Amino acid sequence: MSEVKKSLNFIEQIIEEDLKENYSREQLKFRFPPEPNGYLHIGHAKSICLNFGLGEKYGAPVNLRFDDTNPIKEEQEFVDSIKEDVLWLGFKWDKECYASDYFQQLYDWAVQMIRDGYAYVDSQPSAVMAEQKGTPTQPGVNSPFRSRTIEENLDLFEKMKNGETEEGVHVLRAKIDMASKNMLMRDPVMYRSLHKKHHRTGNNWMIYPLYDWAHGQSDFTEQVSHSLCTLEFVMHRELYNWFLKVIDTKDQLNPKQTEFARLNLSYTVMSKRKLAELVNKNIVSSWDDPRMPTISGLRRRGYTPASIRKFAETIGVAKRDNVIDVSLLEFCIREDLNKIAPRVMGVLDPVKLVITNYQEEKEEWLETENNPEDESAGTREIPFSKELYIEREDFKEEANRKFFRLSLGKEVRLKSAYIIKGEKVVKDENGEIIEIHCTYDSQSKSGSGTEESLRKVKGTLHWVSVKHAVEAEIRLYDRLFNVESPDTDKEKSYMEFINPDSLQIVRGYVEPGLKAAGVSEKFQFQRIGYFNVDKDTTEDKLVFNRTVALRDSWGKQNQ
RNA sequence: UGGCCUAUGGUGUAACUGGCAACACGUCUGUUUUUGGUACAGAAGAGUCUAGGUUCGAGCCCUAGUAGGCCAACCA
């Protein structure tokens, strides 16, 4: 047996190198650090799977850390939904942490930095500070407050903290280099004064740290060994390391920041701001609308945790910008559902089929398999009678030999039932077919073993008995945007590429057993696709979401 | 006009410096099939952005160019 050796991604290679040199295996620790200001999406799922996946691979702890340093945007509601999503994906964090838990430590370090001459209070309007910052090609100039005395800085900083100064007039800045090529090193702001209640610390703090100051120190405090983030933070790494150097980090492990490319998915957008706009403008109904690439949206759409984890594993991780084709995500969910989803009968666009030689009142319960991919799934019985619904597109009055379905004078098999032959059509005054009449071969019952039943017919149709059918609302989803990369057009806004037909609602019929299906239960409607019960389902209204259609080489051929 | 990151089939990810590049999705062909699904078998599709250089030998190293991305919130 030859083992196919799975190659390591660049992050694993870095970790392996570190393990050879300065890190011990016990020191490895990771974290997933969301800001609780919105719902998680499939891009976050990539990061979650990366961090927790590394934790699993190396047997290392992974913290869930809420980066809650901005009380204006953050709320408990989001903390709860984030926890739910991570858990749903199947991961367990070691510690639940909050950057706000480190506010005192951060403050103490900041005071020490002031004493050491590494930080000062600036008292200029933000517009003036922006002016002094310079541009990528021009160095900035020093703030007139840069040389305040340590005592004055300490005094002012404490007053800021207590809310004794006016909101917004002072900030604490790191004293680095206004001429640095790296704009982030030009005396970045560490604290702003915000007289705002925080969802966890209440009114204890009237100053709040900014990302660069809080993040690395949080990693350090938790002794995270490898701090993974997306590419837009590469320039921040220099500052990240500077802060670590300036506070007293000797004798303890210094976290290492490594950046990877964020996920982009074709035919959708991925930023919280843009997703929020879709919700706010009622283009979708909510954050968990099944068309949304949010984790809650995918969950409601019928995606499984396993399929998302498989997807994350398949796309890999690297440093170049990418756009993953949604067809890969669809492949992952089909692959999973094919193995686990029970097969059922459901007709989306019904037309009545009358079997003229079948007894009027007769009904039979026919045995059918629940899942041909899984014998242990067993069988069930479904009712058959004289009048059935079949799919409108499964019939054509005249058809060429490539059409394997029902037409006049031709035979097809009704799945798990009998072989029938098309005889005539009944139309209304507009020429619309309202009934199809056929005859059945009573000897051809599925599984009966008779010679007739063994006859080969080229097509098999799904069907539902009219008398027993259960009506259901079925929501058919399509991509939200008409172009692969809606938010990269230089002139046009992504809002101009919205697909107006991303949701189609139809009324169909399903087999009676589905009346008892519970919310989020998943099925394959045979020959159509995978569906799951939506939470809008009530006692007297059954609602299904189409997760994804089956692959369809016939439909493709006919495009 | 500055700095940083990146560049391999349509898409994504590989290739421990050395045998004109592998895997997955997608595309196309067949076989099987009571799902035009699944499964199975097979095919097409890149000569690794360009130009130099180092080397016996480069997709991997170096230089320059080109292209794309990121950077001047009291956002993260």
Side-chain angles (χ1 to χ4, degrees):
Chain A
M1 286 278 281
S2 67
E3 296 263 320
V4 185
K5 205 167 181 186
K6 243 196 103 206
S7 54
L8 302 176
N9 64 49
F10 81 101
I11 293 172
E12 291 167 331
Q13 284 174 21
I14 287 169
I15 293 171
E16 295 290 337
E17 282 303 308
D18 289 338
L19 246 20
K20 274 184 217 152
E21 288 161 23
N22 38 347
Y23 291 70
S24 73
R25 215 176 165 94
E26 294 70 39
Q27 284 177 304
L28 294 183
K29 186 183 279 190
F30 308 94
R31 108 265 92 119
F32 171 62
E35 182 189 10
N37 71 340
Y39 289 84
L40 260 26
H41 53 61
I42 183 83
H44 294 109
K46 173 181 180 177
S47 175
I48 291 167
C49 292
L50 211 210
N51 282 294
F52 283 93
L54 251 13
E56 284 176 1
K57 173 169 178 159
Y58 291 102
V62 184
N63 289 344
L64 173 62
R65 181 171 70 237
F66 292 97
D67 221 336
D68 56 349
T69 57
N70 188 351
I72 294 169
K73 302 199 297 188
E74 294 147 6
E75 292 168 31
Q76 186 61 36
E77 171 199 351
F78 298 124
V79 170
D80 297 336
S81 79
I82 288 167
K83 286 164 70 175
E84 181 189 0
D85 287 347
V86 173
L87 249 17
W88 178 75
L89 281 173
F91 295 111
K92 280 217 279 291
W93 52 85
D94 183 46
K95 292 193 178 70
E96 179 180 331
C97 308
Y98 294 81
S100 54
D101 287 343
Y102 314 134
F103 281 176
Q104 184 61 48
Q105 172 67 265
L106 254 12
Y107 178 79
D108 294 343
W109 272 324
V111 167
Q112 189 57 47
M113 281 176 66
I114 292 172
R115 291 211 170 94
D116 295 341
Y118 288 126
Y120 62 99
V121 173
D122 200 345
S123 310
Q124 306 181 94
S126 60
V128 175
M129 282 173 52
E131 189 81 12
Q132 290 167 349
K133 200 140 197 171
T135 69
T137 51
Q138 284 176 304
V141 299
N142 288 170
S143 162
F145 295 100
R146 204 175 198 256
S147 48
R148 274 216 250 244
T149 65
I150 289 172
E151 289 66 34
E152 196 181 351
N153 278 319
L154 253 17
D155 179 56
L156 236 24
F157 187 47
E158 188 176 352
K159 287 195 170 111
M160 281 169 65
K161 182 198 74 167
N162 297 330
E164 292 159 15
T165 60
E166 203 181 319
E167 189 175 58
V169 320
H170 306 290
V171 292
L172 185 75
R173 290 230 255 173
K175 191 188 284 187
I176 310 180
D177 176 11
M178 289 304 289
S180 173
K181 300 272 191 205
N182 184 347
M183 298 293 290
L184 290 158
M185 299 298 277
R186 324 246 261 224
D187 289 11
V189 174
M190 293 169 66
Y191 279 98
R192 74 280 224 188
S193 61
L194 275 177
H195 298 177
K196 183 91 167 76
K197 189 176 174 185
H198 184 276
H199 74 109
R200 299 191 83 244
T201 60
N203 290 312
N204 292 351
W205 297 87
M206 293 293 112
I207 53 170
Y208 291 94
L210 274 88
Y211 169 84
D212 287 298
W213 170 236
H215 202 92
Q217 308 348 284
S218 299
D219 286 338
F220 173 73
T221 300
E222 293 170 26
Q223 284 290 283
V224 164
S225 62
H226 296 266
S227 176
L228 311 179
C229 61
T230 46
L231 249 27
E232 64 269 30
F233 291 101
V234 284
M235 298 306 292
H236 294 249
R237 191 174 61 229
E238 188 180 1
L239 181 54
Y240 182 101
N241 291 334
W242 186 87
F243 277 132
L244 249 20
K245 192 187 73 195
V246 147
I247 63 171
D248 188 15
T249 61
K250 63 174 181 287
D251 302 334
Q252 274 178 286
L253 179 138
N254 275 22
K256 176 189 273 193
Q257 174 180 308
T258 302
E259 312 83 13
F260 63 92
R262 66 179 339 134
L263 167 68
N264 294 296
L265 243 199
S266 63
Y267 299 101
T268 192
V269 293
M270 205 65 90
S271 84
K272 279 182 198 166
R273 200 203 96 232
K274 289 168 187 163
L275 293 175
E277 191 177 2
L278 295 175
V279 175
N280 297 335
K281 294 198 170 156
N282 288 316
I283 291 173
V284 296
S285 62
S286 55
W287 282 93
D288 71 346
D289 184 297
R291 290 165 291 181
M292 291 283 272
T294 48
I295 294 180
S296 52
L298 290 165
R299 177 164 58 228
R300 188 169 171 192
R301 176 80 171 253
Y303 275 78
T304 58
S307 68
I308 292 174
R309 291 174 69 154
K310 176 70 187 296
F311 172 72
E313 184 191 317
T314 306
I315 60 175
V317 56
K319 295 186 76 158
R320 57 173 154 166
D321 293 324
N322 61 80
V323 181
I324 310 284
D325 202 314
V326 267
S327 66
L328 181 60
L329 219 208
E330 293 177 346
F331 167 80
C332 292
I333 187 58
R334 282 196 194 102
E335 186 187 41
D336 192 25
L337 258 18
N338 177 48
K339 288 177 299 193
I340 63 175
R343 298 326 102 123
V344 296
M345 302 274 206
V347 178
L348 269 46
D349 182 15
V351 63
K352 195 182 275 186
L353 178 77
V354 179
I355 307 170
T356 56
N357 61 338
Y358 196 85
Q359 286 171 47
E360 203 65 44
E361 295 304 323
K362 185 175 177 183
E363 76 177 51
E364 289 180 82
W365 286 76
L366 306 170
E367 184 176 67
T368 186
E369 64 208 335
N370 286 326
N371 187 348
E373 302 295 312
D374 176 12
E375 214 174 309
S376 71
T379 61
R380 70 183 184 290
E381 292 194 329
I382 49 175
F384 185 81
S385 65
K386 185 184 180 77
E387 295 192 340
L388 311 172
Y389 287 123
I390 63 169
E391 214 68 63
R392 193 167 279 276
E393 65 163 25
D394 281 344
F395 176 76
K396 259 189 189 172
E397 290 184 63
E398 295 167 35
N400 61 29
R401 71 170 62 80
K402 291 181 83 177
F403 187 77
F404 297 172
R405 308 177 183 184
L406 186 63
S407 59
L408 295 181
K410 296 243 186 93
E411 287 194 321
V412 288
R413 154 81 59 191
L414 290 175
K415 173 78 182 170
S416 299
Y418 297 93
I419 292 173
I420 57 165
K421 187 196 218 172
E423 302 289 357
K424 74 172 221 201
V425 290
V426 180
K427 299 181 182 175
D428 65 13
E429 56 278 14
N430 303 319
E432 181 87 352
I433 296 172
I434 48 176
E435 278 183 10
I436 299 161
H437 288 191
C438 69
T439 51
Y440 86 117
D441 177 348
S442 62
Q443 299 301 301
S444 65
K445 187 170 162 181
S446 289
S448 64
T450 62
E451 199 177 312
E452 291 86 345
S453 74
L454 266 19
R455 225 158 67 226
K456 295 286 176 201
V457 288
K458 56 187 174 185
T460 301
L461 307 187
H462 60 277
W463 50 273
V464 160
S465 166
V466 170
K467 182 160 45 168
H468 305 86
V470 174
E471 195 177 299
E473 173 175 317
I474 298 163
R475 300 175 181 170
L476 305 172
Y477 301 103
D478 198 358
R479 46 191 56 150
L480 253 178
F481 294 91
N482 283 322
V483 295
E484 263 193 52
S485 191
D487 52 1
T488 54
D489 192 286
K490 291 268 196 289
E491 274 104 52
K492 294 181 178 175
S493 153
Y494 61 99
M495 293 303 265
E496 294 183 49
F497 300 113
I498 299 225
N499 174 10
D501 304 315
S502 61
L503 171 60
Q504 192 195 342
I505 298 177
V506 302
R507 201 150 287 283
Y509 292 101
V510 297
E511 61 176 77
L514 256 30
K515 188 78 186 131
V519 171
S520 93
E521 233 184 293
K522 296 161 178 62
F523 300 95
Q524 183 198 89
F525 286 8
Q526 269 176 131
R527 304 210 303 133
I528 299 181
Y530 295 98
F531 294 78
N532 84 124
V533 180
D534 190 76
K535 66 180 185 184
D536 287 347
T537 292
T538 60
E539 194 61 21
D540 37 39
K541 183 184 173 197
L542 196 50
V543 180
F544 284 97
N545 294 316
R546 181 175 68 193
T547 307
V548 64
L550 250 31
R551 281 189 63 201
D552 181 11
S553 49
W554 167 247
K556 200 179 295 173
Q557 204 178 106
N558 287 283
Q559 274 171 14

